[in-house]
Amino acid sequence: LAAVLFLLGFNTAYASTLASNLELMEAQSPIDIRSNSTYYGNLPKLNFNLNSDTALTVINNGSPDHESTIRANVSPGGGTLMLSGHQWNLAQFHFHTPSEHLINGRASPMEMHLVFSDAANNLLVVGRDIEQGLFKNQALAPIFSDLPKTTEETLNIEHFNLNNLLPDYLGSFRYSGSLTTPPFTEGVSWVELASPLYLSGSQINAFKSLFPEGNSREIQDLNGRIVLTDVPGFVSIHDD
Ligand code: 1SD
Ligand code: ZN
């Protein structure tokens, strides 16, 4: 960036100061969501209206490994999220291992991202940690028992209930960030749900075996951004 500013005619010292200030303004994802830098209060309600019987096209989007994923494309009309009177349409969901977001420094084995866009093509991603549970997740079994191993394979699921992706408790962490894959575009609204999804150890391992190096981006600086939550107790966890 300093070099670009220099080419634009700024003198070297000024270009490097300006560059470091601009870099400080970056608002990238993922982040570590920490009790001591999160603000608690009422937040606009998340009104999900997801199709309980939709078709999915599940693909492995290929190399490079650390940016690739298993993505389920949702048929048009698959679902909406109404938030503060604004409509967001679900386009796809996909998975990362380990989790991209940390909670007080802790990662989960996986994280699911539901990607929504609005009429102006702004993006909102609903993230949900995946923890290892005692049982096979039956709702997600059609995906995790037959994960496409290469870009050549496509898994078509005719009947999928998208509501099984969401918890009953919709407490969340919200902040403004970016895509976690190139081109890392900013202006993405992030809603990280507080309740994890559970998969069995073998379901998690089936995914991990496809991405042995992991497919998560490293944690990015908050750079003064504010994270909001409506989860009671989270902010005071670390007030000792
Ligand atoms: O990694 C995904 C990427 O695959 C694509 O879905 C993009 C949206 O076009 O979103 C990123 S992410 O930020 O949701 N991880
Ligand atoms: Zn993602």
Side-chain angles (χ1 to χ4, degrees):
L1 181 55
V4 173
L5 291 168
F6 180 74
L7 288 173
L8 288 172
F10 293 90
N11 79 51
T12 321
Y14 186 63
S16 77
T17 314
L18 195 57
S20 54
N21 285 340
L22 285 173
E23 274 151 21
L24 279 177
M25 298 297 290
E26 282 186 353
Q28 290 282 304
S29 295
I31 57 165
D32 183 7
I33 298 166
R34 303 197 72 92
S35 292
N36 59 13
S37 54
T38 297
Y39 292 80
Y40 173 74
N42 284 324
L43 295 176
K45 195 170 163 357
L46 300 165
N47 281 307
F48 289 99
N49 186 1
L50 304 187
N51 195 327
S52 58
D53 187 2
T54 191
L56 297 179
T57 309
V58 184
I59 58 142
N60 181 325
N61 71 351
S63 57
D65 259 16
H66 64 282
E67 287 161 16
S68 65
T69 190
I70 298 293
R71 185 171 75 214
N73 293 318
V74 178
S75 328
T80 59
L81 163 62
M82 292 296 300
L83 178 58
S84 304
H86 199 78
Q87 181 174 318
W88 298 91
N89 304 305
L90 179 62
Q92 46 108 334
F93 59 94
H94 63 267
F95 302 88
H96 297 267
T97 185
S99 67
E100 296 209 297
H101 288 86
L102 304 182
I103 307 277
N104 285 321
R106 179 186 174 276
S108 302
M110 289 179 59
E111 182 172 332
M112 174 176 68
H113 288 157
L114 287 84
V115 181
F116 292 80
S117 64
D118 70 3
N121 274 326
N122 297 303
L123 290 176
L124 179 150
V125 184
V126 174
R128 191 176 178 200
D129 279 336
I130 297 180
E131 300 286 357
Q132 182 171 331
L134 295 173
F135 313 109
K136 183 194 259 187
N137 183 318
Q138 296 291 352
L140 285 166
I143 300 176
F144 281 84
S145 60
D146 206 5
L147 292 167
K149 286 170 192 57
T150 66
T151 51
E152 315 302 311
E153 287 173 53
T154 299
L155 169 65
N156 289 303
I157 298 175
E158 280 176 37
H159 303 284
F160 189 85
N161 183 351
L162 293 166
N163 295 292
N164 288 327
L165 301 174
L166 295 176
D168 291 334
Y169 174 60
L170 292 177
S172 66
F173 306 100
R174 305 186 198 181
Y175 77 98
S176 177
S178 73
L179 296 181
T180 66
T181 51
F184 306 115
T185 315
E186 296 190 344
V188 176
S189 301
W190 278 91
V191 176
E192 278 289 311
L193 297 175
S195 281
L197 178 80
Y198 291 90
L199 293 184
S200 67
S202 20
Q203 288 179 313
I204 289 173
N205 286 337
F207 186 85
K208 280 189 180 284
S209 70
L210 295 180
F211 307 100
E213 319 271 274
N215 65 345
S216 292
R217 189 185 190 196
E218 66 276 15
I219 289 300
Q220 304 293 306
D221 284 341
L222 213 45
N223 292 330
R225 278 174 290 170
I226 286 173
V227 182
L228 300 174
T229 188
D230 55 0
V231 178
F234 180 75
V235 167
S236 54
I237 287 173
H238 279 196
D239 65 0
D240 46 20

